[in-house]
């Protein structure tokens, strides 16, 4: 089995939007008099927009906090930054994308975010030129940890899921990638890998630069097992 394509999660992996989302949730909760912790903001890591609304509406259903208002304000806060200055690129993302292009791998972004956010972030960071296809969680029936968005990305690239390598930073993404039948490399950002993540990943690396080394050894029997 050979790896022909690499499917990237976006938030917290390609661009530093997760620390921005944490900041946005804390700011928006404060507006309603609620002191949200960083740990609470991570409860929706990797969720689709629809799931984020559902989660917070349910979480605050017996309180004075409006979950819907919280999410509305959080998106306003984020978009104010993303659609003006744009997000920061994660370390080594450009080096990895250049390497993949030069080595003739197909590349897709498979993100839980809405398509306008995906395209905006890729344009603002000037990474769009390296990407062949895009798939958004809003286009599929089930968000991560279901495999739908990775299956859609693989289909758009014309590559079987088992010939894809998925790069992820969240647990829901790792589960989604492995359920799709792809090999998964985890690059943890704000979430430390637990036992389930360790069991579902081919490798856990410290940064995106290390993915190049893993691909360099891809012909060894271990990788293609």
């Amino acid at each position: 089995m050979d790896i022909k394509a690499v499917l990237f999660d976006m938030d917290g992996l390609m661009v530093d939007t997760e620390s921005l989302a944490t900041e946005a949730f804390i700011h928006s909760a404060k507006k309603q008099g609620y002191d949200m912790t960083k740990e609470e903001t991570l409860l929706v890591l990797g969720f689709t927009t629809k799931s984020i609304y559902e989660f917070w509406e349910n979480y605050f259903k017996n309180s004075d906090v409006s979950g819907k208002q919280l999410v509305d304000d959080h998106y306003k806060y984020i978009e104010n930054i993303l659609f003006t200055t744009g997000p920061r690129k994660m370390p080594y993302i450009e080096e990895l994308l250049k390497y993949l292009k030069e080595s003739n791998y197909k590349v897709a972004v498979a993100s839980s975010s809405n398509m306008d956010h995906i395209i905006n972030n890729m344009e603002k960071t000037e990474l769009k030129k390296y990407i062949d296809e895009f798939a958004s969680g809003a286009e599929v029936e089930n968000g991560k940890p279901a495999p739908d968005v990775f299956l859609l990305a693989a289909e758009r690239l014309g590559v079987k899921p088992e010939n894809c390598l998925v790069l992820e930073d969240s647990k829901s993404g790792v589960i989604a990638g492995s359920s799709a039948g792809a090999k998964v490399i985890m690059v943890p950002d704000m979430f430390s890998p637990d036992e389930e993540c360790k069991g579902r990943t081919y490798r856990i690396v410290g940064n995106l630069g290390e993915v190049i080394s893993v691909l360099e050894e891809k012909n060894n029997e271990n990788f293609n097992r």
Side-chain angles (χ1 to χ4, degrees):
M1 179 177 62
D2 198 14
I3 298 297
K4 295 186 169 71
V6 181
L7 313 180
F8 284 79
D9 171 53
M10 179 183 70
D11 297 298
L13 183 87
M14 302 180 81
V15 292
D16 185 17
T17 42
E18 285 181 355
S19 57
L20 180 60
T22 285
E23 203 181 289
F25 275 127
I26 290 170
H27 170 86
S28 305
K30 201 158 262 159
K31 281 173 72 174
Q32 296 193 53
Y34 182 77
D35 283 327
M36 187 175 277
T37 64
K38 182 185 166 184
E39 287 64 39
E40 281 177 299
T41 72
L42 301 182
L43 293 170
V44 292
L45 206 61
F47 281 30
T48 61
T49 302
K50 182 170 169 279
S51 302
I52 289 172
Y53 273 103
E54 284 169 3
F55 179 87
W56 290 118
E57 282 169 24
N58 190 47
Y59 192 82
F60 287 117
K61 71 169 182 254
N62 297 318
S63 75
D64 296 334
V65 178
S66 159
K68 183 182 183 307
Q69 189 61 48
L70 172 83
V71 184
D72 284 347
D73 289 346
H74 139 276
Y75 276 120
K76 258 183 231 147
Y77 184 98
I78 286 176
E79 287 173 0
N80 199 25
I81 293 167
L82 293 187
F83 288 91
T84 51
T85 54
R88 285 192 304 268
K89 283 186 282 203
M90 292 299 270
Y92 305 106
I93 180 63
E94 193 135 18
E95 291 87 332
L96 174 56
L97 287 168
K98 275 182 182 156
Y99 169 83
L100 295 174
K101 208 76 177 156
E102 285 159 10
S103 308
N104 296 315
Y105 287 97
K106 289 184 175 181
V107 175
V109 173
S111 167
S112 296
S113 289
N114 289 341
M115 192 62 89
D116 60 336
H117 279 226
I118 297 171
I119 301 298
N120 170 75
N121 291 345
M122 293 300 97
E123 284 176 346
K124 288 279 195 302
T125 51
E126 299 184 351
L127 297 175
K128 190 167 178 260
K129 59 182 174 283
Y130 301 109
I131 318 292
D132 300 304
E133 289 291 345
F134 301 89
S136 158
E139 298 181 280
V140 293
E141 194 172 340
N142 304 298
K144 299 173 187 178
D148 303 26
V149 75
F150 288 123
L151 295 172
L152 176 63
E155 186 188 318
R156 284 184 176 161
L157 288 174
V159 178
K160 290 180 179 156
E162 57 267 31
N163 296 128
C164 292
L165 174 66
V166 162
L167 301 182
E168 263 291 352
D169 70 305
S170 72
K171 180 175 179 173
S172 62
V174 165
I175 295 170
S178 70
S179 301
K183 278 235 173 8
V184 182
I185 292 181
M186 187 179 193
V187 191
D189 177 31
M190 297 179 85
F191 173 80
S192 298
D194 60 14
E195 288 311 307
E196 186 172 10
C197 286
K198 288 172 189 167
R200 284 176 174 264
T201 49
Y202 165 69
R203 192 80 64 87
I204 296 172
V205 297
N207 60 58
L208 289 169
E210 290 177 38
V211 176
I212 297 174
S213 321
V214 176
L215 286 169
E216 298 274 76
E217 54 181 72
K218 78 178 174 64
N219 292 323
N220 79 16
E221 172 189 11
N222 214 9
F223 196 80
N224 294 316
R225 193 162 57 193

